[in-house]
Coordinates of all heavy atoms in Angstrom, one line a residue:
G1 N -90.2 76.7 -37.6 CA -89.2 77.7 -37.6 C -88.2 77.6 -36.5 O -87.2 78.3 -36.4
E2 N -88.4 76.6 -35.6 CA -87.3 76.4 -34.5 C -85.9 75.8 -35.1 O -86.0 75.1 -36.0 CB -87.8 75.4 -33.5 CG -89.1 76.0 -32.7 CD -89.4 74.9 -31.6 OE1 -88.4 74.4 -30.9 OE2 -90.5 74.8 -31.3
Q3 N -84.9 76.3 -34.5 CA -83.6 75.9 -35.0 C -82.8 75.2 -33.9 O -83.1 75.4 -32.7 CB -82.8 77.1 -35.4 CG -83.4 77.7 -36.7 CD -82.5 78.9 -37.1 OE1 -81.6 79.3 -36.5 NE2 -82.9 79.4 -38.3
G4 N -82.0 74.4 -34.4 CA -81.0 73.7 -33.4 C -79.9 73.0 -34.1 O -79.7 73.3 -35.3
V5 N -79.1 72.4 -33.3 CA -77.9 71.7 -33.9 C -78.0 70.2 -33.6 O -78.1 69.9 -32.4 CB -76.6 72.3 -33.3 CG1 -75.3 71.7 -33.8 CG2 -76.5 73.9 -33.7
V6 N -77.6 69.4 -34.6 CA -77.6 68.0 -34.3 C -76.5 67.6 -33.3 O -75.3 68.0 -33.5 CB -77.4 67.2 -35.7 CG1 -77.2 65.7 -35.4 CG2 -78.5 67.4 -36.6
S7 N -76.9 66.9 -32.3 CA -75.8 66.5 -31.3 C -75.5 65.1 -31.4 O -74.5 64.7 -31.2 CB -76.3 66.8 -29.8 OG -77.6 66.2 -29.5
K8 N -76.5 64.2 -31.7 CA -76.3 62.8 -31.8 C -77.4 62.1 -32.6 O -78.4 62.5 -32.7 CB -76.4 62.2 -30.4 CG -75.8 60.8 -30.1 CD -75.9 60.4 -28.7 CE -75.1 61.1 -27.7 NZ -75.2 60.5 -26.4
I9 N -77.0 61.0 -33.2 CA -78.0 60.1 -33.9 C -78.0 58.7 -33.3 O -77.0 58.1 -33.3 CB -77.8 60.1 -35.4 CG1 -77.8 61.5 -36.0 CG2 -78.8 59.2 -36.1 CD1 -77.3 61.5 -37.4
L10 N -79.1 58.4 -32.8 CA -79.2 57.1 -32.0 C -79.9 56.0 -32.9 O -81.1 56.0 -33.0 CB -80.0 57.3 -30.7 CG -79.6 58.4 -29.8 CD1 -80.5 58.6 -28.7 CD2 -78.3 57.9 -29.2
C11 N -79.1 55.2 -33.6 CA -79.6 54.2 -34.6 C -78.6 53.3 -34.9 O -77.5 53.4 -34.7 CB -80.3 54.9 -35.7 SG -79.2 55.9 -36.7
G12 N -79.1 52.3 -35.7 CA -78.1 51.3 -36.2 C -77.4 51.9 -37.5 O -77.6 52.9 -38.0
R13 N -76.6 51.0 -38.1 CA -75.7 51.3 -39.1 C -76.4 51.7 -40.3 O -76.1 52.8 -41.0 CB -74.7 50.2 -39.4 CG -73.9 50.4 -40.7 CD -72.9 49.3 -41.0 NE -71.8 49.8 -40.4 CZ -70.7 49.1 -40.0 NH1 -70.8 47.8 -40.1 NH2 -69.6 49.6 -39.5
N14 N -77.5 51.0 -40.8 CA -78.3 51.5 -42.0 C -78.9 52.8 -41.9 O -78.8 53.6 -42.9 CB -79.3 50.2 -42.2 CG -78.7 49.0 -42.8 OD1 -77.6 49.0 -43.3 ND2 -79.4 47.9 -42.5
L15 N -79.6 53.0 -40.8 CA -80.2 54.3 -40.7 C -79.2 55.5 -40.6 O -79.3 56.5 -41.0 CB -81.2 54.3 -39.5 CG -82.0 55.6 -39.4 CD1 -82.8 56.0 -40.5 CD2 -83.0 55.5 -38.2
L16 N -78.1 55.1 -39.8 CA -77.0 56.1 -39.6 C -76.5 56.5 -41.0 O -76.2 57.7 -41.3 CB -76.0 55.5 -38.8 CG -74.8 56.6 -38.4 CD1 -75.3 57.8 -37.7 CD2 -73.7 55.8 -37.6
C17 N -76.2 55.6 -41.9 CA -75.8 55.9 -43.3 C -76.8 56.8 -43.9 O -76.4 57.7 -44.6 CB -75.5 54.6 -44.0 SG -74.1 53.7 -43.5
R18 N -78.1 56.5 -43.9 CA -79.1 57.2 -44.6 C -79.1 58.6 -44.0 O -79.2 59.6 -44.8 CB -80.4 56.5 -44.4 CG -81.6 57.5 -44.9 CD -82.9 56.7 -44.9 NE -84.1 57.6 -44.7 CZ -84.4 58.4 -45.7 NH1 -83.9 58.5 -46.9 NH2 -85.5 59.1 -45.5
M19 N -79.1 58.8 -42.8 CA -79.2 60.0 -42.1 C -78.0 60.9 -42.4 O -78.0 62.2 -42.7 CB -79.4 60.0 -40.6 CG -80.6 59.3 -40.2 SD -82.1 60.1 -40.9 CE -82.3 61.3 -39.7
T20 N -76.7 60.4 -42.4 CA -75.6 61.1 -42.7 C -75.6 61.6 -44.2 O -75.1 62.7 -44.5 CB -74.3 60.4 -42.3 OG1 -74.2 59.1 -42.9 CG2 -74.1 60.2 -40.9
S21 N -76.0 60.7 -45.0 CA -76.1 61.1 -46.5 C -77.1 62.1 -46.7 O -77.0 62.9 -47.7 CB -76.4 59.8 -47.4 OG -77.7 59.5 -47.1
L22 N -78.1 62.3 -45.9 CA -79.1 63.5 -45.9 C -78.4 64.8 -45.3 O -79.1 65.8 -45.4 CB -80.3 63.1 -45.3 CG -81.1 62.0 -46.0 CD1 -82.4 61.6 -45.1 CD2 -81.7 62.4 -47.3
G23 N -77.4 64.7 -44.7 CA -76.7 65.9 -44.0 C -77.0 65.9 -42.6 O -76.5 66.9 -41.9
F24 N -77.6 65.0 -42.0 CA -77.7 65.0 -40.5 C -76.5 64.4 -39.8 O -76.4 63.2 -39.5 CB -79.0 64.2 -40.1 CG -80.3 64.8 -40.4 CD1 -80.8 64.5 -41.6 CD2 -80.8 65.7 -39.5 CE1 -82.0 65.1 -42.0 CE2 -82.1 66.3 -39.9 CZ -82.6 66.0 -41.1
T25 N -75.6 65.3 -39.6 CA -74.3 64.9 -38.8 C -74.2 65.9 -37.6 O -74.6 67.0 -37.6 CB -73.1 65.0 -39.8 OG1 -73.1 66.4 -40.3 CG2 -73.2 64.2 -41.0
P26 N -73.4 65.3 -36.6 CA -73.2 66.0 -35.4 C -72.6 67.5 -35.8 O -71.6 67.7 -36.6 CB -72.3 65.3 -34.6 CG -72.5 63.9 -35.0 CD -72.8 64.0 -36.5
G27 N -73.2 68.6 -35.3 CA -72.8 69.9 -35.6 C -73.5 70.6 -36.7 O -73.5 71.8 -36.9
A28 N -74.4 69.7 -37.4 CA -75.2 70.4 -38.6 C -76.4 71.2 -38.0 O -77.0 70.8 -37.1 CB -75.7 69.3 -39.5
Q29 N -76.6 72.4 -38.5 CA -77.7 73.3 -38.1 C -79.0 72.7 -38.7 O -79.0 72.4 -40.0 CB -77.6 74.7 -38.5 CG -78.6 75.6 -38.0 CD -78.3 77.0 -38.1 OE1 -77.3 77.4 -38.5 NE2 -79.4 77.9 -38.2
V30 N -80.1 72.6 -38.0 CA -81.3 72.1 -38.5 C -82.4 73.1 -38.2 O -82.5 73.6 -37.1 CB -81.7 70.7 -37.8 CG1 -83.0 70.2 -38.2 CG2 -80.7 69.7 -38.0
T31 N -83.3 73.3 -39.2 CA -84.5 74.2 -39.1 C -85.8 73.4 -39.3 O -85.9 72.8 -40.3 CB -84.4 75.4 -40.0 OG1 -83.2 76.1 -39.7 CG2 -85.6 76.4 -39.7
M32 N -86.7 73.5 -38.4 CA -88.0 72.8 -38.5 C -88.8 73.6 -39.5 O -89.1 74.8 -39.3 CB -88.7 72.6 -37.3 CG -90.1 71.8 -37.3 SD -89.8 70.2 -38.0 CE -88.8 69.5 -36.7
I33 N -89.3 73.0 -40.6 CA -90.1 73.7 -41.6 C -91.5 73.4 -41.4 O -92.4 74.2 -41.5 CB -89.6 73.3 -43.0 CG1 -88.1 73.6 -43.3 CG2 -90.4 74.0 -44.1 CD1 -87.8 75.0 -43.2
Q34 N -91.8 72.1 -41.2 CA -93.3 71.7 -41.1 C -93.4 70.5 -40.1 O -92.6 69.6 -40.3 CB -93.8 71.2 -42.5 CG -95.2 70.7 -42.5 CD -95.6 70.3 -43.9 OE1 -95.5 71.2 -44.7 NE2 -96.0 69.1 -44.1
N35 N -94.2 70.7 -39.2 CA -94.5 69.6 -38.2 C -96.0 69.7 -37.7 O -96.3 70.5 -36.8 CB -93.5 69.7 -37.0 CG -93.7 68.6 -36.0 OD1 -94.6 67.7 -36.2 ND2 -92.9 68.7 -35.0
Y36 N -96.8 69.0 -38.4 CA -98.3 69.0 -38.0 C -98.7 68.2 -36.8 O -99.8 68.1 -36.5 CB -99.1 68.7 -39.2 CG -99.0 69.7 -40.3 CD1 -98.8 69.3 -41.6 CD2 -99.1 71.1 -40.1 CE1 -98.9 70.2 -42.7 CE2 -99.0 71.9 -41.2 CZ -98.9 71.5 -42.4 OH -98.9 72.4 -43.3
G37 N -97.7 67.4 -36.3 CA -98.0 66.5 -35.1 C -98.4 65.1 -35.6 O -98.6 64.2 -34.7
H38 N -98.6 64.9 -36.9 CA -98.8 63.5 -37.4 C -98.2 63.4 -38.7 O -98.0 64.5 -39.5 CB -100.3 63.2 -37.4 CG -101.1 64.2 -38.3 ND1 -101.5 65.4 -37.9 CD2 -101.5 64.0 -39.6 CE1 -102.1 66.0 -38.8 NE2 -102.1 65.2 -39.9
G39 N -97.9 62.3 -39.2 CA -97.3 62.1 -40.5 C -95.8 62.6 -40.6 O -95.2 62.9 -39.5
P40 N -95.3 62.7 -41.7 CA -93.9 63.1 -41.8 C -93.7 64.5 -41.5 O -94.6 65.4 -41.5 CB -93.5 62.7 -43.3 CG -94.8 62.9 -44.0 CD -95.8 62.4 -43.0
L41 N -92.4 64.9 -41.1 CA -92.1 66.3 -40.9 C -91.0 66.7 -41.9 O -90.3 65.9 -42.4 CB -91.7 66.5 -39.5 CG -90.5 65.7 -38.9 CD1 -89.2 66.4 -39.2 CD2 -90.6 65.5 -37.4
I42 N -90.9 68.0 -42.0 CA -90.0 68.5 -43.0 C -89.0 69.4 -42.3 O -89.3 70.3 -41.5 CB -90.6 69.3 -44.1 CG1 -91.6 68.4 -44.9 CG2 -89.6 70.0 -45.1 CD1 -92.5 69.1 -46.1
A43 N -87.7 69.1 -42.5 CA -86.7 69.9 -41.9 C -85.7 70.3 -42.9 O -85.5 69.8 -43.9 CB -85.8 69.1 -40.9
Q44 N -85.0 71.5 -42.6 CA -84.0 72.0 -43.6 C -82.6 71.8 -42.8 O -82.5 72.1 -41.7 CB -84.2 73.5 -43.8 CG -83.1 74.0 -44.8 CD -83.5 75.4 -45.2 OE1 -84.6 75.9 -45.0 NE2 -82.6 76.0 -46.0
V45 N -81.8 71.1 -43.6 CA -80.4 70.8 -43.1 C -79.4 71.0 -44.2 O -79.7 70.5 -45.3 CB -80.2 69.4 -42.5 CG1 -80.6 68.3 -43.5 CG2 -79.0 69.2 -41.8
R46 N -78.4 71.8 -44.0 CA -77.3 72.0 -45.0 C -78.0 72.5 -46.3 O -77.5 72.1 -47.4 CB -76.5 70.8 -45.2 CG -75.8 70.3 -43.9 CD -74.8 69.3 -44.3 NE -74.2 68.7 -43.1 CZ -73.2 69.3 -42.3 NH1 -72.6 70.4 -42.9 NH2 -72.8 68.6 -41.3
G47 N -79.0 73.4 -46.3 CA -79.5 74.1 -47.4 C -80.5 73.2 -48.1 O -81.0 73.7 -49.1
A48 N -80.9 72.0 -47.7 CA -81.8 71.1 -48.3 C -83.0 70.8 -47.5 O -82.8 70.7 -46.3 CB -81.1 69.8 -48.8
R49 N -84.2 70.7 -48.1 CA -85.4 70.4 -47.3 C -85.5 68.9 -47.4 O -85.4 68.3 -48.5 CB -86.6 71.0 -47.9 CG -86.6 72.5 -47.6 CD -87.9 73.1 -48.1 NE -87.8 74.6 -47.7 CZ -88.8 75.3 -47.6 NH1 -90.1 74.8 -47.9 NH2 -88.8 76.6 -47.2
V50 N -85.7 68.3 -46.2 CA -85.7 66.8 -46.1 C -87.0 66.4 -45.3 O -87.3 66.8 -44.3 CB -84.5 66.2 -45.4 CG1 -84.5 64.8 -45.2 CG2 -83.2 66.7 -46.0
A51 N -87.7 65.4 -46.0 CA -88.9 64.9 -45.3 C -88.4 63.6 -44.5 O -87.8 62.7 -45.1 CB -90.0 64.5 -46.3
L52 N -88.8 63.5 -43.3 CA -88.4 62.4 -42.4 C -89.7 61.8 -41.8 O -90.6 62.6 -41.3 CB -87.5 62.8 -41.2 CG -86.2 63.4 -41.6 CD1 -85.5 63.9 -40.4 CD2 -85.3 62.3 -42.2
G53 N -89.7 60.5 -41.7 CA -90.9 59.8 -40.9 C -90.6 60.1 -39.4 O -89.5 60.4 -39.0
R54 N -91.7 60.0 -38.7 CA -91.5 60.3 -37.2 C -90.6 59.3 -36.6 O -89.8 59.8 -35.7 CB -92.9 60.2 -36.6 CG -93.9 61.2 -37.1 CD -94.5 61.9 -36.1 NE -95.1 63.1 -36.8 CZ -94.8 64.3 -36.4 NH1 -93.8 64.5 -35.5 NH2 -95.4 65.3 -37.0
G55 N -90.5 58.1 -37.0 CA -89.5 57.2 -36.5 C -88.1 57.6 -36.6 O -87.3 57.5 -35.8
E56 N -87.8 58.0 -37.8 CA -86.4 58.5 -38.2 C -86.1 59.8 -37.3 O -85.0 59.9 -36.8 CB -86.3 58.8 -39.6 CG -86.5 57.7 -40.6 CD -86.5 58.0 -42.0 OE1 -87.1 59.0 -42.4 OE2 -86.0 57.2 -42.8
A57 N -87.1 60.7 -37.4 CA -86.8 62.0 -36.7 C -86.7 61.8 -35.2 O -85.9 62.4 -34.6 CB -87.9 62.9 -37.0
G58 N -87.3 60.8 -34.7 CA -87.2 60.6 -33.3 C -85.8 60.1 -32.9 O -85.5 60.1 -31.6
R59 N -85.0 59.6 -33.7 CA -83.7 59.1 -33.4 C -82.6 60.2 -33.5 O -81.5 59.9 -33.2 CB -83.4 57.9 -34.3 CG -84.2 56.8 -34.1 CD -83.8 55.6 -34.7 NE -84.7 54.5 -34.4 CZ -84.5 53.6 -33.5 NH1 -83.5 53.8 -32.6 NH2 -85.4 52.6 -33.3
V60 N -83.0 61.3 -34.0 CA -82.0 62.5 -34.1 C -82.1 63.4 -32.8 O -83.2 63.9 -32.6 CB -82.3 63.3 -35.3 CG1 -81.2 64.4 -35.5 CG2 -82.2 62.4 -36.6
Q61 N -81.0 63.5 -32.1 CA -81.0 64.4 -30.9 C -80.6 65.8 -31.4 O -79.5 65.9 -32.0 CB -80.2 63.8 -29.9 CG -80.7 62.7 -29.1 CD -79.9 62.3 -27.9 OE1 -78.8 62.8 -27.6 NE2 -80.5 61.4 -27.1
V62 N -81.3 66.7 -31.1 CA -81.1 68.1 -31.5 C -81.0 69.0 -30.2 O -82.0 68.9 -29.4 CB -82.0 68.7 -32.5 CG1 -81.8 70.1 -32.8 CG2 -82.0 67.8 -33.8
R63 N -80.0 69.8 -30.1 CA -80.0 70.9 -29.0 C -80.3 72.1 -29.6 O -79.8 72.6 -30.7 CB -78.7 70.8 -28.2 CG -77.5 71.3 -29.0 CD -76.2 71.3 -28.1 NE -75.1 72.0 -28.9 CZ -74.4 71.3 -29.7 NH1 -74.6 70.0 -30.0 NH2 -73.3 71.9 -30.3
R64 N -81.2 73.0 -28.7 CA -81.5 74.3 -29.3 C -80.3 75.2 -29.2 O -79.4 75.0 -28.3 CB -82.6 74.9 -28.3 CG -83.8 74.2 -28.6 CD -85.0 75.0 -27.8 NE -86.2 74.4 -28.1 CZ -87.3 75.1 -27.9 NH1 -87.4 76.2 -27.4 NH2 -88.5 74.5 -28.2
E65 N -80.2 76.1 -30.2 CA -79.2 77.1 -30.2 C -79.5 78.2 -29.1 O -80.6 78.5 -28.9 CB -79.1 77.8 -31.5 CG -78.6 76.8 -32.6 CD -78.5 77.5 -33.9 OE1 -79.3 78.4 -34.2 OE2 -77.6 77.2 -34.7
A66 N -78.4 78.8 -28.6 CA -78.7 79.7 -27.5 C -79.0 81.1 -28.1 O -78.8 81.3 -29.2 CB -77.4 79.9 -26.7

């Protein structure tokens, strides 16, 4: 249920293209839906629920909203 805003994506061109096509762009609001501490996590971005592997998710920098 935590929310934040994408500030930066630290990755190469291929992953950057994938992440932007999923809606993870700087300024996009992100809500954590499911994070069990292992396996993929589910986030909501731009009205869509997206499953991300831990490696992918670790490359997205998110700042908490005030």
Side-chain angles (χ1 to χ4, degrees):
E2 292 186 40
Q3 295 185 350
V5 176
V6 175
S7 60
K8 195 185 289 187
I9 301 174
L10 306 169
C11 59
R13 174 175 261 157
N14 289 336
L15 184 56
L16 183 62
C17 287
R18 172 174 154 69
M19 299 303 279
T20 56
S21 69
L22 291 172
F24 290 90
T25 56
Q29 183 173 343
V30 178
T31 303
M32 184 61 63
I33 303 296
Q34 177 179 304
N35 183 1
Y36 292 135
H38 61 279
L41 56 88
I42 299 175
Q44 183 170 351
V45 61
R46 300 191 186 276
R49 289 183 177 202
V50 179
L52 295 175
R54 298 228 164 246
E56 295 173 323
R59 297 191 176 268
V60 179
Q61 288 187 351
V62 177
R63 68 178 186 275
R64 287 189 176 196
E65 291 183 322

